[in-house]
Amino acid sequence: MHHRAPVPSRRTLLTVTAAAAAAAVTGVSTPAHADQDRRLRRIIDRMSLEEKVGQLFVMRVYGHSATAPDQADIDANLQEIGVRTAAELVERYHVGGVIYFTWAHNTRDPQQIAELSNGIQQAALAQPTPVPVLISTDQEHGIVCRVGEPATLVPGAMALGAGGSHADARRAAQIAGTELAAVGIRQNYAPVADVNVNPANPVIGVRSFGSDPTAVAGLVAAQVKGYQRAGVAATSKHFPGHGDTAVDSHYGLPTITHTRAQWAELDAPPFRSAIAAGIDSIMTAHIVVPALDPSEDPATLSRPILTGVLREQLGYDGVVVTDSLAMEGVRTKYGDDRVPVLALKAGVDQLLNPPKLDVAWNAVLKAVRDGELTEERLDESILRILRLKSKLGLFRNAYVSRAGVERVVGAATHLAQADRIAESTTTLLLNEGEFLPLSPASHRSVLVVGADPASPSGTTGPPTTTLAAELRELGFTATALSTGITPTAAKIEEAVAAAAGKDVVVVGTYNVTATSPQRTLVARLVATGVPVVTIAIRNPYDVARLGGQRATLAAYSWTDVELRAAVRVLAGRARPQGRLPVPVQSADDPAKVLYPVGHGLSYR
């Protein structure tokens, strides 16, 4: 039976220094490092087995408050987790981490987020062994955002890849990290280190900085430094590389067919770069890479990949966190009770968001009691997690303040810098007869139509509405008509009728495929004789399936900051500076490159 040792005093917990923790994470052997590890091990020794198991889990929870969520969120928590609130989650399962989601109602506004974070920390520090919680989220920016306005939204990865500036990438991450830290989020699952070499990739795409491993590696390192200077643990993902897949691991188990040599050339450089930059955590991928592990286990459960390649070959000794264990990719081969145990045996430290926490938590507990896992193995991971918590200063002060939120989140200087960075990313792909820039004098009446995908956090309205509003701000007469991602024949006829008498039509396109009715929409608008300009609001590959438009811009996302920048470029208030970070190939002949990496027009 495990006997609980005396609980450490709050003074003991708070004397762990951030400097020593930083040395521990980087593997530097110093007296402070050794002293810090001794202190942390004493904390671990005082934990019960149940507390140790809990430290390994990072779990979702519904609600805007740690103690008083809405009734619907209480019901959801009871159904999925068996607790009523975030505070009960911490008390029952001793979880070491909590992940925030918009859909879980965790991120309504900055002050609410800060109060939720403080409530979770209060619950954690009231436990028999008081250890602060590491709160995380997916704030990649671009198309994946959990914390929206009034927080500052910066351009996403592929937009930054188009900008090509390490300084801008670092500054964007520092702005984002500073605001996350202000609301109590201290681990961000960004930057994406996947190299998007497959245009058909359904899950990465513009979440990647681009298709060139060297360029991606430089931008990943820049963002790692930016986040971590802001006091937020960066997380490069998805190891060993999710960039060349046509399957979404949320719904299936992709296989990467790269040889080991191809992996080393294409996929490894950004992760090597992240490690060299001192990355705090690395997230696994639910992908099969036979060249790295012939067992065909997903990387998340693969000891040859996580211990053999990541730990031993690449020399990484920081925190390894799984991608969500609720994703189908990790659940196709093993049951939910085996997945967390196999992940720990593979070399994982943090188990993220299992579908049923009680199943996963009890499975790990049972594996230790049965001898399949040792407490020493758990202690290795817990030590890494506590080192990171100490580095972030959570033992000194786990709480955030309302004044800090008001001072930092959405600061005017942050917003201005985000706008400047966004302007440097907008890419002009096509400009027939130098049709752009538009002028209110000659193109006053503008119709904006196109796709209005579900808005990520940080958008104030549908893309067509945002584009039209920004055009009006610049002196144009602009009207918006949402035609959707799959416009119907009736909606296309409505758009054609609305184009009559206009000086120009702006079409926001979204992942145009060979059979997409968006192609029909553009063709019918072109046939009216009114000049058409298209703006790709997600992947820049749309231009390969369209024809007849006078100009095409790539915005790389439909968040407000990128759409506003695209309109300023459209209207000549800013010069297009972006350069394609991926090649755009012919839709009919993929071997033919229409627009190579580095392509981007400017104005005379």
Side-chain angles (χ1 to χ4, degrees), residues 202-414:
V203 66
I204 304 301
V206 293
R207 299 169 63 196
S208 165
F209 290 104
S211 63
D212 178 78
T214 301
V216 172
L219 292 163
V220 165
Q223 290 231 295
V224 167
K225 293 172 183 175
Y227 279 118
Q228 295 184 181
R229 284 177 186 174
V232 167
T235 308
S236 58
K237 61 186 185 185
H238 308 77
F239 189 83
H242 210 313
D244 190 8
T245 174
V247 175
D248 185 341
S249 53
H250 289 84
Y251 309 108
L253 179 58
T255 296
I256 305 294
T257 59
H258 293 178
T259 65
R260 185 173 282 263
Q262 288 173 322
W263 173 82
E265 178 184 357
L266 294 173
D267 301 293
F271 292 101
R272 291 184 184 276
S273 180
I275 293 168
I279 186 78
D280 282 330
S281 52
I282 291 178
M283 179 178 284
T284 69
H286 305 325
I287 57 174
V288 169
V289 189
L292 301 183
D293 181 358
S295 75
E296 299 195 352
D297 280 344
T300 298
L301 310 182
S302 168
R303 186 170 178 82
I305 292 175
L306 298 187
T307 296
V309 177
L310 181 57
R311 297 284 192 207
E312 296 171 359
Q313 181 181 329
L314 300 186
Y316 181 65
D317 193 38
V319 171
V320 174
V321 56
T322 70
D323 206 343
S324 172
L325 298 183
M327 293 166 60
E328 195 60 31
V330 79
R331 304 172 73 192
T332 57
K333 194 171 180 180
Y334 302 100
D336 291 336
D337 59 334
R338 293 301 298 157
V339 166
V341 175
L342 295 174
L344 291 169
K345 293 175 76 171
V348 157
D349 301 306
Q350 290 183 306
L351 300 162
L352 176 63
N353 196 36
K356 292 292 184 181
L357 180 57
D358 61 335
V359 171
W361 191 87
N362 282 302
V364 174
L365 193 66
K366 182 177 186 297
V368 177
R369 287 173 171 162
D370 290 351
E372 184 178 6
L373 288 170
T374 65
E375 280 202 59
E376 290 73 21
R377 168 66 192 90
L378 268 58
D379 292 352
E380 291 175 13
S381 287
I382 296 167
L383 179 59
R384 292 191 185 101
I385 294 165
L386 296 190
R387 284 172 178 167
L388 180 52
K389 291 180 179 183
S390 181
K391 176 187 175 183
L392 296 170
L394 290 172
F395 285 102
R396 295 195 310 275
N397 182 14
Y399 299 107
V400 293
S401 69
R402 293 186 65 86
V405 174
E406 292 173 2
R407 183 179 65 254
V408 170
V409 178
T413 54
H414 289 177

Side-chain angles (χ1 to χ4, degrees), residues 60-228:
R60 71 189 180 279
V61 65
Y62 291 87
H64 69 286
S65 165
T67 57
D70 295 338
Q71 186 60 49
D73 292 323
I74 292 174
D75 294 342
N77 285 329
L78 287 170
Q79 180 178 353
E80 294 186 18
I81 313 172
V83 299
R84 295 168 53 84
T85 67
E88 288 184 14
L89 168 68
V90 172
E91 181 179 1
R92 178 177 299 185
Y93 289 104
H94 319 291
V95 292
V98 170
I99 179 172
Y100 287 169
F101 290 106
T102 307
W103 50 260
H105 311 139
N106 305 138
T107 58
R108 290 181 178 178
D109 63 73
Q111 290 292 359
Q112 168 269 315
I113 300 170
E115 291 174 7
L116 173 61
S117 299
N118 283 344
I120 289 170
Q121 299 296 4
Q122 185 175 9
L125 296 176
Q127 296 308 300
T129 307
V131 176
V133 169
L134 184 53
I135 297 171
S136 61
T137 198
D138 291 286
Q139 188 79 347
E140 297 173 15
H141 291 268
I143 69 169
V144 178
C145 291
R146 310 301 187 204
V147 181
E149 293 184 343
T152 304
L153 277 298
V154 297
M158 191 170 286
L160 292 171
S165 167
H166 290 184
D168 282 352
R170 183 171 56 252
R171 184 56 186 152
Q174 192 165 0
I175 290 169
T178 299
E179 297 196 9
L180 288 175
V183 299
I185 299 172
R186 302 302 297 276
Q187 183 179 27
N188 189 24
Y189 298 137
V192 171
D194 303 315
V195 181
N196 199 68
V197 296
N198 186 348
N201 194 320
V203 66
I204 304 301
V206 293
R207 299 169 63 196
S208 165
F209 290 104
S211 63
D212 178 78
T214 301
V216 172
L219 292 163
V220 165
Q223 290 231 295
V224 167
K225 293 172 183 175
Y227 279 118
Q228 295 184 181

Side-chain angles (χ1 to χ4, degrees), residues 206 426-427 429 467 506-512 518 533-543 546 551-558 562-563 566:
V206 293
T426 304
T427 307
L429 300 178
L467 291 168
V506 174
V507 185
T509 65
Y510 181 95
N511 293 2
V512 178
Q518 292 179 72
V533 175
T534 61
I535 302 176
I537 63 172
R538 185 166 176 170
N539 291 323
Y541 310 115
D542 293 358
V543 66
L546 302 173
T552 294
L553 293 172
Y556 305 102
S557 178
W558 62 101
E562 287 161 296
L563 293 180

